[in-house]
Amino acid sequence: MSGHVHDVVGIGIGPFNLGLACLTPPTGLDAVFLDGADGFRWHHGMMIEGATIQVPFLADLVTMADPTSEYSFLNWLKQTGRLYPFYIRESFSALRVEYDAYCRWAAERLPNLRWNSEVVAVEHDAAEDVYVVRVMRTDTGEESEVRGRHVVVGVGTRPAVPRALQGLAGPVIHSSEYRERRDALRASGSITVVGSGQSAAEIYRDLLEGTRADGYRLDWITRSPRFFPMEYTKLTLEMTSPEYTDHFHALPLDVRSHLGREQRSLYKGISGDLVDDIYDTLYRLSAEGPVPTTLLTDTEVTSAEWDGERYRLRLRHGTLDSEHERETESLVLATGYAAETPAFLSLVADRLDWDARGRLAVARDYSIDGGRGRIFVQNGEEHTHGLTAPDLGFGAWRNSSILASITGREVYPIERRIAFQDFGVPADASAPRSAEGLEVAR
Ligand SMILES: Cc1cc2nc3c(=O)[nH]c(=O)nc-3n(C[C@H](O)[C@H](O)[C@H](O)COP(=O)(O)OP(=O)(O)OC[C@H]3O[C@@H](n4cnc5c(N)ncnc54)[C@H](O)[C@@H]3O)c2cc1C
């Protein structure tokens, strides 16, 4: 018998595992959470002034599971004297900087978070039937181990760069480091933003004013056929639900993949207000003469070369199937994020479920270990569960489900049905009948 064994070891302390850490104390579970970073900081590269989170403030760490929790956003507003101003502001959307500060406030109240603790391997100790999590201190290099009966992997996603643009020399950046590199961008003579989502639009809007003030050229290029808005209509939002996740999860792999691609516009587009704000800004700036900007849709950057001073971008127009080139001094790749299977799981790969494409086959209860219910993932299951995976509004539901699997009881009530519509064949459907009125196979 060696070393203390925790009930739960959480790997990664982004909003999802931080939410789990906030929801765990009432369960009596002995849990510890590890993160390689030196403290909580939420997408600091995209802390653009005035940017808001894209979900209602109720999508905080705890409220959808436990509205009475002391770790709620409303309680943070109260404790920090911001409740009345927030009330008067009358907006459901918290500022991104507020969400970051709120999460840090919650993190500072939890005794069981270990920062500077990078997980490098997870092993299974068969003798004790526990998981051994190997940790490397990012500040001292010291190695240690943490033992746990259950492991919850919440390591989020990584910046994604299209293959043709990987390994580029020169001042190219990914949107995840925008704020830190903004001044250098503004000091260059020309900037090109590549991408079609919210981050690309926010960066373009943030730099647009500078085309006059700082005199640089600003181009925005996207492969998408248009600058499409995120869809916010309420019947579509009902797809962010337990029952749609049930429906999606039960579909064959190929159907899920196809649907997943189709559904990207639902949550990978641009908020409608921002699209209009960009248009109105272009309109206003154009009153003083042509705005030094080009917006290109249906255009893919197929290659980029840095000559020491500028990039030569090779572009392919999707519909015209023709190529052309553009030059730019700076390049911003707002090309999204992707979930990866963490390398630290390789030593327990034989205990995990894999799909035909070599990805984790995540069960409906978010476990990945052959129904044992001992290893779970957070926000690594978009390919099995669909659009709820990265959604902050669904984090508390998923955590309630994971805690129910671990404790064997519903610590927090878990809604099974929240939508007015049915997904798939409704329960009260009658079987198809032949002309003779006989039931025929569905
Ligand atoms: C700019 C931006 C804005 C977004 N805005 C919204 C929004 O408004 N609404 C919404 O619903 N969703 C939003 N999302 C999507 C999503 O909710 C966020 O990405 C969210 O941060 C995901 O949380 P997470 O807990 O999965 O991971 P992350 O926040 O990515 O955190 C993962 C943590 O794991 C740690 N980690 C990684 N590897 C290891 C390791 N080996 N050992 C220890 N620790 C490790 C990292 O240091 C990190 O702290 C946004 C995403 C981005 C990029």
PDB file of all heavy atoms in Angstrom, residues 11-16 34-37 42-43 46 53-55 96 117-119 154-158 199 337 344 379 390-392, ligand 1:
ATOM      1  N   ILE A  11      -7.464  16.384 -14.157  1.00  0.00           N
ATOM      2  CA  ILE A  11      -6.289  16.846 -14.908  1.00  0.00           C
ATOM      3  C   ILE A  11      -6.718  18.007 -15.800  1.00  0.00           C
ATOM      4  O   ILE A  11      -7.572  17.850 -16.679  1.00  0.00           O
ATOM      5  CB  ILE A  11      -5.701  15.719 -15.763  1.00  0.00           C
ATOM      6  CG1 ILE A  11      -5.361  14.502 -14.900  1.00  0.00           C
ATOM      7  CG2 ILE A  11      -4.468  16.220 -16.518  1.00  0.00           C
ATOM      8  CD1 ILE A  11      -4.820  13.314 -15.673  1.00  0.00           C
ATOM      9  N   GLY A  12      -6.102  19.189 -15.548  1.00  0.00           N
ATOM     10  CA  GLY A  12      -6.484  20.410 -16.258  1.00  0.00           C
ATOM     11  C   GLY A  12      -7.517  21.163 -15.437  1.00  0.00           C
ATOM     12  O   GLY A  12      -8.445  20.546 -14.903  1.00  0.00           O
ATOM     13  N   ILE A  13      -7.266  22.473 -15.291  1.00  0.00           N
ATOM     14  CA  ILE A  13      -8.231  23.292 -14.531  1.00  0.00           C
ATOM     15  C   ILE A  13      -8.679  24.461 -15.399  1.00  0.00           C
ATOM     16  O   ILE A  13      -8.368  25.623 -15.152  1.00  0.00           O
ATOM     17  CB  ILE A  13      -7.640  23.799 -13.192  1.00  0.00           C
ATOM     18  CG1 ILE A  13      -6.942  22.663 -12.430  1.00  0.00           C
ATOM     19  CG2 ILE A  13      -8.726  24.409 -12.328  1.00  0.00           C
ATOM     20  CD1 ILE A  13      -6.232  23.107 -11.151  1.00  0.00           C
ATOM     21  N   GLY A  14      -9.381  24.110 -16.491  1.00  0.00           N
ATOM     22  CA  GLY A  14     -10.088  25.124 -17.262  1.00  0.00           C
ATOM     23  C   GLY A  14     -11.478  25.262 -16.641  1.00  0.00           C
ATOM     24  O   GLY A  14     -11.741  24.686 -15.569  1.00  0.00           O
ATOM     25  N   PRO A  15     -12.382  25.993 -17.268  1.00  0.00           N
ATOM     26  CA  PRO A  15     -13.718  26.173 -16.681  1.00  0.00           C
ATOM     27  C   PRO A  15     -14.440  24.865 -16.341  1.00  0.00           C
ATOM     28  O   PRO A  15     -15.157  24.788 -15.348  1.00  0.00           O
ATOM     29  CB  PRO A  15     -14.477  26.924 -17.773  1.00  0.00           C
ATOM     30  CG  PRO A  15     -13.430  27.644 -18.525  1.00  0.00           C
ATOM     31  CD  PRO A  15     -12.212  26.761 -18.497  1.00  0.00           C
ATOM     32  N   PHE A  16     -14.226  23.823 -17.126  1.00  0.00           N
ATOM     33  CA  PHE A  16     -14.996  22.600 -16.897  1.00  0.00           C
ATOM     34  C   PHE A  16     -14.522  21.849 -15.657  1.00  0.00           C
ATOM     35  O   PHE A  16     -15.323  21.511 -14.783  1.00  0.00           O
ATOM     36  CB  PHE A  16     -15.012  21.738 -18.155  1.00  0.00           C
ATOM     37  CG  PHE A  16     -15.740  22.399 -19.303  1.00  0.00           C
ATOM     38  CD1 PHE A  16     -15.167  22.469 -20.560  1.00  0.00           C
ATOM     39  CD2 PHE A  16     -16.987  22.976 -19.111  1.00  0.00           C
ATOM     40  CE1 PHE A  16     -15.842  23.100 -21.613  1.00  0.00           C
ATOM     41  CE2 PHE A  16     -17.659  23.609 -20.156  1.00  0.00           C
ATOM     42  CZ  PHE A  16     -17.081  23.673 -21.409  1.00  0.00           C
ATOM     43  N   LEU A  34      -5.165  19.220 -10.975  1.00  0.00           N
ATOM     44  CA  LEU A  34      -3.795  19.548 -11.372  1.00  0.00           C
ATOM     45  C   LEU A  34      -3.798  20.358 -12.662  1.00  0.00           C
ATOM     46  O   LEU A  34      -4.563  20.045 -13.586  1.00  0.00           O
ATOM     47  CB  LEU A  34      -3.010  18.250 -11.608  1.00  0.00           C
ATOM     48  CG  LEU A  34      -3.116  17.185 -10.512  1.00  0.00           C
ATOM     49  CD1 LEU A  34      -2.626  15.844 -11.030  1.00  0.00           C
ATOM     50  CD2 LEU A  34      -2.320  17.607  -9.291  1.00  0.00           C
ATOM     51  N   ASP A  35      -2.959  21.361 -12.728  1.00  0.00           N
ATOM     52  CA  ASP A  35      -2.806  22.119 -13.969  1.00  0.00           C
ATOM     53  C   ASP A  35      -1.361  22.595 -14.103  1.00  0.00           C
ATOM     54  O   ASP A  35      -0.763  23.029 -13.117  1.00  0.00           O
ATOM     55  CB  ASP A  35      -3.758  23.322 -13.997  1.00  0.00           C
ATOM     56  CG  ASP A  35      -3.944  23.880 -15.415  1.00  0.00           C
ATOM     57  OD1 ASP A  35      -2.955  24.337 -16.009  1.00  0.00           O
ATOM     58  OD2 ASP A  35      -5.073  23.814 -15.930  1.00  0.00           O
ATOM     59  N   GLY A  36      -0.843  22.501 -15.326  1.00  0.00           N
ATOM     60  CA  GLY A  36       0.542  22.908 -15.568  1.00  0.00           C
ATOM     61  C   GLY A  36       0.747  24.405 -15.530  1.00  0.00           C
ATOM     62  O   GLY A  36       1.857  24.885 -15.308  1.00  0.00           O
ATOM     63  N   ALA A  37      -0.317  25.173 -15.698  1.00  0.00           N
ATOM     64  CA  ALA A  37      -0.190  26.634 -15.705  1.00  0.00           C
ATOM     65  C   ALA A  37       0.058  27.130 -14.274  1.00  0.00           C
ATOM     66  O   ALA A  37      -0.184  26.404 -13.311  1.00  0.00           O
ATOM     67  CB  ALA A  37      -1.465  27.263 -16.268  1.00  0.00           C
ATOM     68  N   TRP A  42      -8.099  32.651 -18.388  1.00  0.00           N
ATOM     69  CA  TRP A  42      -8.964  32.143 -19.450  1.00  0.00           C
ATOM     70  C   TRP A  42      -8.695  32.845 -20.779  1.00  0.00           C
ATOM     71  O   TRP A  42      -8.936  34.049 -20.913  1.00  0.00           O
ATOM     72  CB  TRP A  42     -10.422  32.335 -19.055  1.00  0.00           C
ATOM     73  CG  TRP A  42     -11.354  31.544 -19.888  1.00  0.00           C
ATOM     74  CD1 TRP A  42     -11.352  30.190 -20.058  1.00  0.00           C
ATOM     75  CD2 TRP A  42     -12.449  32.028 -20.660  1.00  0.00           C
ATOM     76  NE1 TRP A  42     -12.350  29.811 -20.908  1.00  0.00           N
ATOM     77  CE2 TRP A  42     -13.053  30.926 -21.281  1.00  0.00           C
ATOM     78  CE3 TRP A  42     -12.965  33.318 -20.888  1.00  0.00           C
ATOM     79  CZ2 TRP A  42     -14.154  31.045 -22.114  1.00  0.00           C
ATOM     80  CZ3 TRP A  42     -14.069  33.440 -21.724  1.00  0.00           C
ATOM     81  CH2 TRP A  42     -14.648  32.304 -22.327  1.00  0.00           C
ATOM     82  N   HIS A  43      -8.179  32.107 -21.735  1.00  0.00           N
ATOM     83  CA  HIS A  43      -7.981  32.630 -23.083  1.00  0.00           C
ATOM     84  C   HIS A  43      -7.479  34.068 -23.074  1.00  0.00           C
ATOM     85  O   HIS A  43      -8.045  34.964 -23.709  1.00  0.00           O
ATOM     86  CB  HIS A  43      -9.276  32.504 -23.896  1.00  0.00           C
ATOM     87  CG  HIS A  43      -9.725  31.096 -24.026  1.00  0.00           C
ATOM     88  ND1 HIS A  43      -8.908  30.105 -24.525  1.00  0.00           N
ATOM     89  CD2 HIS A  43     -10.881  30.502 -23.663  1.00  0.00           C
ATOM     90  CE1 HIS A  43      -9.554  28.952 -24.507  1.00  0.00           C
ATOM     91  NE2 HIS A  43     -10.747  29.147 -23.967  1.00  0.00           N
ATOM     92  N   MET A  46      -7.221  36.482 -25.972  1.00  0.00           N
ATOM     93  CA  MET A  46      -8.427  37.042 -26.616  1.00  0.00           C
ATOM     94  C   MET A  46      -9.222  37.943 -25.672  1.00  0.00           C
ATOM     95  O   MET A  46     -10.433  38.126 -25.837  1.00  0.00           O
ATOM     96  CB  MET A  46      -9.311  35.899 -27.119  1.00  0.00           C
ATOM     97  CG  MET A  46      -8.818  35.259 -28.413  1.00  0.00           C
ATOM     98  SD  MET A  46      -8.679  36.446 -29.782  1.00  0.00           S
ATOM     99  CE  MET A  46     -10.395  36.859 -30.071  1.00  0.00           C
ATOM    100  N   ILE A  53     -18.781  36.955 -23.173  1.00  0.00           N
ATOM    101  CA  ILE A  53     -18.899  35.518 -23.415  1.00  0.00           C
ATOM    102  C   ILE A  53     -20.171  35.301 -24.219  1.00  0.00           C
ATOM    103  O   ILE A  53     -21.085  36.134 -24.204  1.00  0.00           O
ATOM    104  CB  ILE A  53     -18.852  34.691 -22.122  1.00  0.00           C
ATOM    105  CG1 ILE A  53     -19.993  35.024 -21.169  1.00  0.00           C
ATOM    106  CG2 ILE A  53     -17.522  34.830 -21.421  1.00  0.00           C
ATOM    107  CD1 ILE A  53     -20.068  34.030 -20.010  1.00  0.00           C
ATOM    108  N   GLN A  54     -20.195  34.217 -24.969  1.00  0.00           N
ATOM    109  CA  GLN A  54     -21.267  33.989 -25.952  1.00  0.00           C
ATOM    110  C   GLN A  54     -22.411  33.160 -25.387  1.00  0.00           C
ATOM    111  O   GLN A  54     -23.169  32.552 -26.147  1.00  0.00           O
ATOM    112  CB  GLN A  54     -20.669  33.277 -27.177  1.00  0.00           C
ATOM    113  CG  GLN A  54     -19.484  33.983 -27.792  1.00  0.00           C
ATOM    114  CD  GLN A  54     -19.843  35.360 -28.308  1.00  0.00           C
ATOM    115  OE1 GLN A  54     -20.797  35.490 -29.045  1.00  0.00           O
ATOM    116  NE2 GLN A  54     -19.118  36.371 -27.869  1.00  0.00           N
ATOM    117  N   VAL A  55     -22.486  33.055 -24.062  1.00  0.00           N
ATOM    118  CA  VAL A  55     -23.586  32.335 -23.424  1.00  0.00           C
ATOM    119  C   VAL A  55     -24.089  33.174 -22.256  1.00  0.00           C
ATOM    120  O   VAL A  55     -23.360  34.037 -21.763  1.00  0.00           O
ATOM    121  CB  VAL A  55     -23.111  30.952 -22.893  1.00  0.00           C
ATOM    122  CG1 VAL A  55     -22.938  29.960 -24.023  1.00  0.00           C
ATOM    123  CG2 VAL A  55     -21.821  31.077 -22.096  1.00  0.00           C
ATOM    124  N   ARG A  96     -15.954  39.176 -21.068  1.00  0.00           N
ATOM    125  CA  ARG A  96     -14.985  38.090 -21.004  1.00  0.00           C
ATOM    126  C   ARG A  96     -14.036  38.295 -19.827  1.00  0.00           C
ATOM    127  O   ARG A  96     -13.702  37.354 -19.099  1.00  0.00           O
ATOM    128  CB  ARG A  96     -14.218  38.016 -22.320  1.00  0.00           C
ATOM    129  CG  ARG A  96     -13.655  36.649 -22.622  1.00  0.00           C
ATOM    130  CD  ARG A  96     -13.068  36.577 -24.017  1.00  0.00           C
ATOM    131  NE  ARG A  96     -14.089  36.311 -25.008  1.00  0.00           N
ATOM    132  CZ  ARG A  96     -13.955  36.610 -26.294  1.00  0.00           C
ATOM    133  NH1 ARG A  96     -12.868  37.209 -26.715  1.00  0.00           N
ATOM    134  NH2 ARG A  96     -14.915  36.340 -27.150  1.00  0.00           N
ATOM    135  N   SER A 117       1.573  22.142 -12.117  1.00  0.00           N
ATOM    136  CA  SER A 117       1.604  20.671 -12.016  1.00  0.00           C
ATOM    137  C   SER A 117       1.182  20.046 -13.341  1.00  0.00           C
ATOM    138  O   SER A 117       0.007  19.755 -13.573  1.00  0.00           O
ATOM    139  CB  SER A 117       0.660  20.226 -10.897  1.00  0.00           C
ATOM    140  OG  SER A 117       1.038  20.807  -9.669  1.00  0.00           O
ATOM    141  N   GLU A 118       2.157  19.857 -14.219  1.00  0.00           N
ATOM    142  CA  GLU A 118       1.913  19.294 -15.542  1.00  0.00           C
ATOM    143  C   GLU A 118       1.827  17.773 -15.450  1.00  0.00           C
ATOM    144  O   GLU A 118       2.723  17.132 -14.888  1.00  0.00           O
ATOM    145  CB  GLU A 118       3.061  19.682 -16.491  1.00  0.00           C
ATOM    146  CG  GLU A 118       2.926  19.202 -17.910  1.00  0.00           C
ATOM    147  CD  GLU A 118       2.071  20.134 -18.765  1.00  0.00           C
ATOM    148  OE1 GLU A 118       1.703  21.232 -18.270  1.00  0.00           O
ATOM    149  OE2 GLU A 118       1.731  19.734 -19.892  1.00  0.00           O
ATOM    150  N   VAL A 119       0.748  17.199 -15.932  1.00  0.00           N
ATOM    151  CA  VAL A 119       0.630  15.743 -15.921  1.00  0.00           C
ATOM    152  C   VAL A 119       1.370  15.185 -17.128  1.00  0.00           C
ATOM    153  O   VAL A 119       1.141  15.610 -18.262  1.00  0.00           O
ATOM    154  CB  VAL A 119      -0.836  15.307 -15.921  1.00  0.00           C
ATOM    155  CG1 VAL A 119      -0.979  13.798 -16.150  1.00  0.00           C
ATOM    156  CG2 VAL A 119      -1.491  15.717 -14.605  1.00  0.00           C
ATOM    157  N   GLY A 154      -9.653  17.092 -18.248  1.00  0.00           N
ATOM    158  CA  GLY A 154     -10.254  18.335 -18.733  1.00  0.00           C
ATOM    159  C   GLY A 154      -9.169  19.265 -19.235  1.00  0.00           C
ATOM    160  O   GLY A 154      -8.972  20.348 -18.676  1.00  0.00           O
ATOM    161  N   VAL A 155      -8.449  18.807 -20.255  1.00  0.00           N
ATOM    162  CA  VAL A 155      -7.296  19.580 -20.730  1.00  0.00           C
ATOM    163  C   VAL A 155      -7.638  20.490 -21.909  1.00  0.00           C
ATOM    164  O   VAL A 155      -6.761  21.088 -22.520  1.00  0.00           O
ATOM    165  CB  VAL A 155      -6.123  18.650 -21.092  1.00  0.00           C
ATOM    166  CG1 VAL A 155      -5.591  17.953 -19.852  1.00  0.00           C
ATOM    167  CG2 VAL A 155      -6.520  17.643 -22.164  1.00  0.00           C
ATOM    168  N   GLY A 156      -8.924  20.589 -22.233  1.00  0.00           N
ATOM    169  CA  GLY A 156      -9.350  21.543 -23.244  1.00  0.00           C
ATOM    170  C   GLY A 156      -8.858  21.238 -24.643  1.00  0.00           C
ATOM    171  O   GLY A 156      -8.627  20.083 -24.997  1.00  0.00           O
ATOM    172  N   THR A 157      -8.679  22.280 -25.422  1.00  0.00           N
ATOM    173  CA  THR A 157      -8.308  22.155 -26.826  1.00  0.00           C
ATOM    174  C   THR A 157      -7.008  22.911 -27.091  1.00  0.00           C
ATOM    175  O   THR A 157      -6.573  23.709 -26.257  1.00  0.00           O
ATOM    176  CB  THR A 157      -9.431  22.756 -27.707  1.00  0.00           C
ATOM    177  OG1 THR A 157      -9.691  24.084 -27.228  1.00  0.00           O
ATOM    178  CG2 THR A 157     -10.696  21.923 -27.644  1.00  0.00           C
ATOM    179  N   ARG A 158      -6.397  22.633 -28.243  1.00  0.00           N
ATOM    180  CA  ARG A 158      -5.136  23.293 -28.619  1.00  0.00           C
ATOM    181  C   ARG A 158      -5.378  24.182 -29.826  1.00  0.00           C
ATOM    182  O   ARG A 158      -6.215  23.847 -30.666  1.00  0.00           O
ATOM    183  CB  ARG A 158      -4.111  22.222 -29.040  1.00  0.00           C
ATOM    184  CG  ARG A 158      -3.720  21.243 -27.991  1.00  0.00           C
ATOM    185  CD  ARG A 158      -2.465  21.703 -27.265  1.00  0.00           C
ATOM    186  NE  ARG A 158      -2.276  20.908 -26.063  1.00  0.00           N
ATOM    187  CZ  ARG A 158      -3.008  20.993 -24.986  1.00  0.00           C
ATOM    188  NH1 ARG A 158      -4.025  21.839 -24.947  1.00  0.00           N
ATOM    189  NH2 ARG A 158      -2.777  20.246 -23.926  1.00  0.00           N
ATOM    190  N   SER A 199     -13.467  34.578 -33.181  1.00  0.00           N
ATOM    191  CA  SER A 199     -12.148  35.179 -32.899  1.00  0.00           C
ATOM    192  C   SER A 199     -11.657  36.007 -34.080  1.00  0.00           C
ATOM    193  O   SER A 199     -11.174  37.127 -33.905  1.00  0.00           O
ATOM    194  CB  SER A 199     -11.136  34.079 -32.573  1.00  0.00           C
ATOM    195  OG  SER A 199     -11.485  33.436 -31.364  1.00  0.00           O
ATOM    196  N   TYR A 337      -9.468  25.859 -32.783  1.00  0.00           N
ATOM    197  CA  TYR A 337      -8.850  24.987 -31.779  1.00  0.00           C
ATOM    198  C   TYR A 337      -9.300  23.557 -32.060  1.00  0.00           C
ATOM    199  O   TYR A 337     -10.329  23.334 -32.712  1.00  0.00           O
ATOM    200  CB  TYR A 337      -9.304  25.406 -30.380  1.00  0.00           C
ATOM    201  CG  TYR A 337      -8.898  26.819 -30.007  1.00  0.00           C
ATOM    202  CD1 TYR A 337      -9.569  27.902 -30.544  1.00  0.00           C
ATOM    203  CD2 TYR A 337      -7.835  27.042 -29.153  1.00  0.00           C
ATOM    204  CE1 TYR A 337      -9.182  29.198 -30.235  1.00  0.00           C
ATOM    205  CE2 TYR A 337      -7.442  28.330 -28.835  1.00  0.00           C
ATOM    206  CZ  TYR A 337      -8.125  29.405 -29.376  1.00  0.00           C
ATOM    207  OH  TYR A 337      -7.743  30.700 -29.065  1.00  0.00           O
ATOM    208  N   PHE A 344      -0.479  11.745 -22.381  1.00  0.00           N
ATOM    209  CA  PHE A 344      -0.268  11.156 -21.051  1.00  0.00           C
ATOM    210  C   PHE A 344      -1.202   9.968 -20.780  1.00  0.00           C
ATOM    211  O   PHE A 344      -1.076   9.297 -19.765  1.00  0.00           O
ATOM    212  CB  PHE A 344      -0.379  12.212 -19.936  1.00  0.00           C
ATOM    213  CG  PHE A 344      -1.683  12.963 -19.857  1.00  0.00           C
ATOM    214  CD1 PHE A 344      -2.850  12.327 -19.472  1.00  0.00           C
ATOM    215  CD2 PHE A 344      -1.742  14.323 -20.160  1.00  0.00           C
ATOM    216  CE1 PHE A 344      -4.056  13.022 -19.395  1.00  0.00           C
ATOM    217  CE2 PHE A 344      -2.936  15.020 -20.085  1.00  0.00           C
ATOM    218  CZ  PHE A 344      -4.088  14.365 -19.695  1.00  0.00           C
ATOM    219  N   ASN A 379     -15.055  18.056 -22.536  1.00  0.00           N
ATOM    220  CA  ASN A 379     -14.685  18.843 -23.720  1.00  0.00           C
ATOM    221  C   ASN A 379     -13.651  18.145 -24.583  1.00  0.00           C
ATOM    222  O   ASN A 379     -12.732  18.752 -25.111  1.00  0.00           O
ATOM    223  CB  ASN A 379     -14.175  20.225 -23.287  1.00  0.00           C
ATOM    224  CG  ASN A 379     -14.028  21.170 -24.460  1.00  0.00           C
ATOM    225  OD1 ASN A 379     -14.555  20.913 -25.542  1.00  0.00           O
ATOM    226  ND2 ASN A 379     -13.257  22.243 -24.278  1.00  0.00           N
ATOM    227  N   PRO A 390     -17.996  21.749 -26.160  1.00  0.00           N
ATOM    228  CA  PRO A 390     -17.233  22.936 -25.723  1.00  0.00           C
ATOM    229  C   PRO A 390     -18.103  24.006 -25.068  1.00  0.00           C
ATOM    230  O   PRO A 390     -17.597  25.051 -24.694  1.00  0.00           O
ATOM    231  CB  PRO A 390     -16.668  23.459 -27.040  1.00  0.00           C
ATOM    232  CG  PRO A 390     -17.687  23.103 -28.062  1.00  0.00           C
ATOM    233  CD  PRO A 390     -18.322  21.811 -27.599  1.00  0.00           C
ATOM    234  N   ASP A 391     -19.407  23.736 -24.927  1.00  0.00           N
ATOM    235  CA  ASP A 391     -20.350  24.774 -24.526  1.00  0.00           C
ATOM    236  C   ASP A 391     -20.337  25.001 -23.010  1.00  0.00           C
ATOM    237  O   ASP A 391     -20.660  24.101 -22.224  1.00  0.00           O
ATOM    238  CB  ASP A 391     -21.764  24.366 -24.974  1.00  0.00           C
ATOM    239  CG  ASP A 391     -22.718  25.538 -24.884  1.00  0.00           C
ATOM    240  OD1 ASP A 391     -22.853  26.088 -23.778  1.00  0.00           O
ATOM    241  OD2 ASP A 391     -23.294  25.912 -25.921  1.00  0.00           O
ATOM    242  N   LEU A 392     -20.003  26.212 -22.603  1.00  0.00           N
ATOM    243  CA  LEU A 392     -19.954  26.523 -21.169  1.00  0.00           C
ATOM    244  C   LEU A 392     -21.296  26.284 -20.497  1.00  0.00           C
ATOM    245  O   LEU A 392     -21.373  25.954 -19.323  1.00  0.00           O
ATOM    246  CB  LEU A 392     -19.515  27.978 -20.964  1.00  0.00           C
ATOM    247  CG  LEU A 392     -18.090  28.332 -21.351  1.00  0.00           C
ATOM    248  CD1 LEU A 392     -17.859  29.832 -21.249  1.00  0.00           C
ATOM    249  CD2 LEU A 392     -17.079  27.580 -20.499  1.00  0.00           C
TER     250      LEU A 392
HETATM  251  C1  LIG B   1     -11.408  32.774 -27.130  1.00  0.00           C
HETATM  252  C2  LIG B   1     -12.444  31.758 -26.743  1.00  0.00           C
HETATM  253  C3  LIG B   1     -13.657  32.197 -26.277  1.00  0.00           C
HETATM  254  C4  LIG B   1     -14.632  31.260 -25.931  1.00  0.00           C
HETATM  255  N1  LIG B   1     -15.826  31.728 -25.503  1.00  0.00           N
HETATM  256  C5  LIG B   1     -16.788  30.846 -25.214  1.00  0.00           C
HETATM  257  C6  LIG B   1     -18.068  31.334 -24.795  1.00  0.00           C
HETATM  258  O1  LIG B   1     -18.273  32.532 -24.695  1.00  0.00           O
HETATM  259  N2  LIG B   1     -19.029  30.422 -24.535  1.00  0.00           N
HETATM  260  C7  LIG B   1     -18.807  29.067 -24.652  1.00  0.00           C
HETATM  261  O2  LIG B   1     -19.722  28.278 -24.413  1.00  0.00           O
HETATM  262  N3  LIG B   1     -17.592  28.577 -25.018  1.00  0.00           N
HETATM  263  C8  LIG B   1     -16.606  29.441 -25.317  1.00  0.00           C
HETATM  264  N4  LIG B   1     -15.400  28.959 -25.715  1.00  0.00           N
HETATM  265  C9  LIG B   1     -15.198  27.486 -25.822  1.00  0.00           C
HETATM  266  C10 LIG B   1     -14.833  26.779 -24.499  1.00  0.00           C
HETATM  267  O3  LIG B   1     -15.803  26.933 -23.594  1.00  0.00           O
HETATM  268  C11 LIG B   1     -13.585  27.205 -23.903  1.00  0.00           C
HETATM  269  O4  LIG B   1     -12.558  26.828 -24.759  1.00  0.00           O
HETATM  270  C12 LIG B   1     -13.273  26.652 -22.501  1.00  0.00           C
HETATM  271  O5  LIG B   1     -12.155  27.324 -22.016  1.00  0.00           O
HETATM  272  C13 LIG B   1     -12.994  25.169 -22.501  1.00  0.00           C
HETATM  273  O6  LIG B   1     -12.711  24.819 -21.166  1.00  0.00           O
HETATM  274  P1  LIG B   1     -11.865  23.531 -20.779  1.00  0.00           P
HETATM  275  O7  LIG B   1     -12.028  23.390 -19.306  1.00  0.00           O
HETATM  276  O8  LIG B   1     -12.264  22.399 -21.632  1.00  0.00           O
HETATM  277  O9  LIG B   1     -10.370  23.815 -21.206  1.00  0.00           O
HETATM  278  P2  LIG B   1      -9.357  25.021 -21.205  1.00  0.00           P
HETATM  279  O10 LIG B   1      -9.983  26.271 -20.810  1.00  0.00           O
HETATM  280  O11 LIG B   1      -8.671  24.930 -22.498  1.00  0.00           O
HETATM  281  O12 LIG B   1      -8.346  24.595 -20.032  1.00  0.00           O
HETATM  282  C14 LIG B   1      -7.595  23.416 -20.094  1.00  0.00           C
HETATM  283  C15 LIG B   1      -6.554  23.466 -18.991  1.00  0.00           C
HETATM  284  O13 LIG B   1      -5.834  22.238 -19.020  1.00  0.00           O
HETATM  285  C16 LIG B   1      -4.490  22.500 -18.692  1.00  0.00           C
HETATM  286  N5  LIG B   1      -3.675  21.396 -19.174  1.00  0.00           N
HETATM  287  C17 LIG B   1      -3.513  21.003 -20.451  1.00  0.00           C
HETATM  288  N6  LIG B   1      -2.697  19.922 -20.520  1.00  0.00           N
HETATM  289  C18 LIG B   1      -2.336  19.636 -19.235  1.00  0.00           C
HETATM  290  C19 LIG B   1      -1.500  18.645 -18.629  1.00  0.00           C
HETATM  291  N7  LIG B   1      -0.870  17.707 -19.356  1.00  0.00           N
HETATM  292  N8  LIG B   1      -1.351  18.668 -17.296  1.00  0.00           N
HETATM  293  C20 LIG B   1      -1.978  19.603 -16.528  1.00  0.00           C
HETATM  294  N9  LIG B   1      -2.780  20.572 -17.047  1.00  0.00           N
HETATM  295  C21 LIG B   1      -2.954  20.584 -18.373  1.00  0.00           C
HETATM  296  C22 LIG B   1      -4.203  23.840 -19.374  1.00  0.00           C
HETATM  297  O14 LIG B   1      -3.126  24.509 -18.740  1.00  0.00           O
HETATM  298  C23 LIG B   1      -5.541  24.580 -19.177  1.00  0.00           C
HETATM  299  O15 LIG B   1      -5.517  25.381 -18.032  1.00  0.00           O
HETATM  300  C24 LIG B   1     -14.381  29.875 -26.064  1.00  0.00           C
HETATM  301  C25 LIG B   1     -13.156  29.423 -26.551  1.00  0.00           C
HETATM  302  C26 LIG B   1     -12.194  30.364 -26.886  1.00  0.00           C
HETATM  303  C27 LIG B   1     -10.900  29.875 -27.434  1.00  0.00           C
END
